[in-house]
Amino acid sequence: MVRSLLIIPLLAAAGGGVWLARGALLRWRDLRAAETYGLAGEQRPMLLRAAGAMVCGVCVTALTLLTALGTFGALGGGGGGGGNGAADPFADRFDGPEAGVAGPGGGRQAAPPIEAAGAADPASAPAPAPALPTPSPVSVVSRFDSVGHPGGGELLQSAVPGPDGHPRNVRVWLPAQYAKDPNARFPVVVMHAATPRKTADAEVPDVFEGLASAVQSARTKPFILVAPEAPNGTGHPCELVAAAPMAVADDAALRTTIAATFRTLPPGPAAWGALGVEDGAPCAAAAGLARPDLYGAAAAVSGRYDAAALARAGAEAPATGSPKLLLAAGKADTAGLDAARKLQSALRGGTGAAARAEVRISDNATDYSAERIRLRLVRQAAQYLGEALGKAS
């Protein structure tokens, strides 16, 4: 009886320890990433979770010992009674699997369902009942944690299932206006990365300052920036997308998660756009041309493009809507401007939505350094997207 009563708190302590340890590890990774990007991260949540995991580990050890002692006591008592010799072997065979779940080896078997519940929400992480023989599949439920405050806004990170079903890191930047007006809803811009397993802000760390300065100068309306991790499997994801733009997926999990977590305008071309800078520019152009039903506007900055492939993507795009595309490059970037003009000409000579595409070329950005020019181009992209997408309400 004592052994049975100890199983539930043992599983609860094990589950809490797994969840806290996992949270501490994720938070530690976020802090390392924040240091890489030059952001300030708070260590206290990580330390609290690590301490809690240690406390749970002590509890699991103590409860395991008590459970083992209770099991040995029950077996010893059965042999001493000697009333029914056949009953004891039967009880031993019945108790074996149950003890395996609750014992030191069984704790690892119980970990998967506990981890799945813990990943969803710490408040909804009940210990699994021993009667369930098959653990439920692990599901990634997004709980966004703050990793910094660049550009006067707030940067958060979580794991969200990708189009292939595998979780990938997603960073969300909320403008300063998001906290100031709790009733406002904002458009969303998806910023594409060009490096596998990296988010775009790692490639363009000054993007948030560019967006914030555009808003502060009243050049654009504020919007939420979403930066999903680029897929793995190829060294240059955007080159692959540029060669086959129709591979741009309907990232329903991303849209659903962002819309359910943050105060956004309804997903769709009236409120969602795409942004890509330098190597990420072909991804943004492909998204805007191939899926005008999902993205109402796209801004591609300092990119190089496969004009023929993107023109085919526009021709095969859904009939609803006309793609809107900004191609921006520095005044001295002759190769980038040449690539933009070739893409514009290819779209004009195309068919279907490609021929209807509204393409603007920005070629006037200049400054004393490449970083300053990129900052100006990001401001122009923010202004273009802010004008094209729905207004915050």
Side-chain angles (χ1 to χ4, degrees), residues 5-135:
L5 292 176
L6 291 176
I7 289 177
I8 293 178
L10 173 63
L11 291 177
V18 169
W19 178 80
L20 288 169
R22 181 175 179 272
L25 178 60
L26 292 176
R27 185 61 183 175
W28 175 74
R29 290 177 178 173
D30 290 342
L31 289 173
R32 290 194 62 186
E35 292 176 359
T36 302
Y37 305 145
L39 303 175
E42 187 178 355
Q43 295 184 356
R44 184 177 179 185
M46 179 195 70
L47 296 176
L48 290 176
R49 291 170 184 170
M54 294 177 64
V55 172
C56 288
V58 173
C59 293
V60 168
T61 302
L63 290 171
T64 300
L65 292 174
L66 292 174
T67 302
L69 291 175
T71 301
F72 294 148
L75 292 175
N84 188 349
D88 288 341
F90 179 81
D92 182 63
R93 289 195 301 270
F94 177 79
D95 289 341
E98 186 177 357
V101 174
R108 291 190 292 272
Q109 295 177 4
I114 295 172
E115 183 176 353
D121 192 342
S124 60
L132 294 177
T134 304

Side-chain angles (χ1 to χ4, degrees), residues 175 177-178 181 183-188 220-224 263-265 270-271 386 389-393:
Q177 291 76 10
Y178 188 91
D181 189 352
N183 296 318
R185 293 189 172 272
F186 298 83
V188 176
T220 187
K221 296 291 184 180
F223 52 77
I224 295 172
R263 300 193 312 274
T264 70
L265 293 173
L389 302 178
K391 297 180 180 180
S393 59

Side-chain angles (χ1 to χ4, degrees), residues 170-197:
V170 173
R171 292 199 158 204
V172 176
W173 180 75
L174 304 176
Q177 291 76 10
Y178 188 91
K180 294 178 181 178
D181 189 352
N183 296 318
R185 293 189 172 272
F186 298 83
V188 176
V189 172
V190 179
M191 186 173 181
H192 296 269
T195 305
R197 293 186 176 178

